[in-house]
Amino acid sequence: MSVRDLIPWNRNNGNQFPSLLRDGDRDPFVSLHREVNRLFDDVFRGFGSGLAPLARTSAFRAGWPNVEISDTDKEIEVTAEVPGLEEKDIEVLLNDGVLTLRGEKRSENEDKDRQFSERYYGRFERRIPLGIEVKEDQVDARFKNGVLTVTLPKSEKAQSQVKRIAIKN
């Protein structure tokens, strides 16, 4: 075997031009093999998160709505993006140190006329463990322009438990 045989467009005595497709892309079995590998990669990618891997393919992906959590000395602030919803569609609950955001996004029209949609509809529930005591009677929730902001003031006991540790060389 010569080195010229290793160059793809030199095979068949130079009668063939370089193809835009690799040889494997023309073979249906190689293509099927790639698609099955991609499917398994997509399914098993979520196993480290503790969430059901197929939950991401449901109407609402796992972890929806997207949240930001900020923690200061005096309070915890949870901000959730819920575009397309109104205040009446969302419920905020606090029980046993867990903040629960739940609601439902409804479709405005019937499915019979829709041929393609990337919008998500359905129920959602997001549970956020706080890990500290909060003043439950002073929790404040505000909704503006599709953004829900929940402010949870920390109890005096939780504020006093914070201890700064010095870092040494």
Side-chain angles (χ1 to χ4, degrees):
M1 177 159 143
S2 73
V3 175
R4 298 183 123 206
D5 292 336
L6 297 175
I7 302 172
W9 53 87
N10 279 343
R11 291 183 194 142
N12 300 334
N13 299 329
N15 295 334
Q16 183 180 4
F17 289 100
S19 173
L20 294 176
L21 298 173
R22 295 177 295 193
D23 287 337
D25 289 338
R26 285 183 254 156
D27 183 20
F29 293 109
V30 173
S31 179
L32 176 65
H33 180 72
R34 282 194 190 113
E35 287 299 312
V36 170
N37 282 345
R38 186 190 57 77
L39 176 68
F40 276 100
D41 288 344
D42 289 347
V43 169
F44 290 113
R45 189 171 291 134
F47 272 121
S49 66
L51 300 170
L54 297 178
R56 288 188 311 276
T57 61
S58 65
F60 284 105
R61 300 173 312 273
W64 194 88
N66 295 329
V67 298
E68 287 182 352
I69 301 173
S70 61
D71 186 1
T72 65
D73 294 337
K74 300 200 180 288
E75 66 187 16
I76 295 176
E77 186 175 271
V78 178
T79 306
E81 293 179 347
V82 284
L85 295 180
E86 298 177 17
E87 293 173 53
K88 64 181 174 68
D89 299 327
I90 303 169
E91 185 177 19
V92 180
L93 305 169
L94 181 62
N95 185 18
D96 253 355
V98 177
L99 178 69
T100 303
L101 309 175
R102 78 169 61 138
E104 182 174 6
K105 185 173 180 183
R106 295 177 182 88
S107 174
E108 296 91 26
N109 52 17
E110 293 183 27
D111 288 340
K112 66 179 181 176
D113 296 331
R114 189 176 310 146
Q115 294 176 352
F116 178 78
S117 176
E118 290 182 343
R119 298 175 68 191
Y120 297 110
Y121 301 100
R123 294 182 177 272
F124 66 88
E125 183 170 314
R126 183 84 190 256
R127 294 175 183 258
I128 303 166
L130 300 174
I132 60 160
E133 284 185 29
V134 296
K135 300 176 185 175
E136 293 182 11
D137 55 335
Q138 295 179 8
V139 173
D140 181 48
R142 298 184 186 275
F143 185 81
K144 183 178 181 182
N145 297 332
V147 178
L148 173 69
T149 304
V150 181
T151 305
L152 305 131
K154 293 181 180 178
S155 68
E156 285 78 19
K157 179 182 175 187
Q159 290 179 28
S160 66
Q161 288 179 347
V162 176
K163 180 181 178 185
R164 187 166 302 273
I165 300 171
I167 302 172
K168 300 176 185 174
N169 288 0

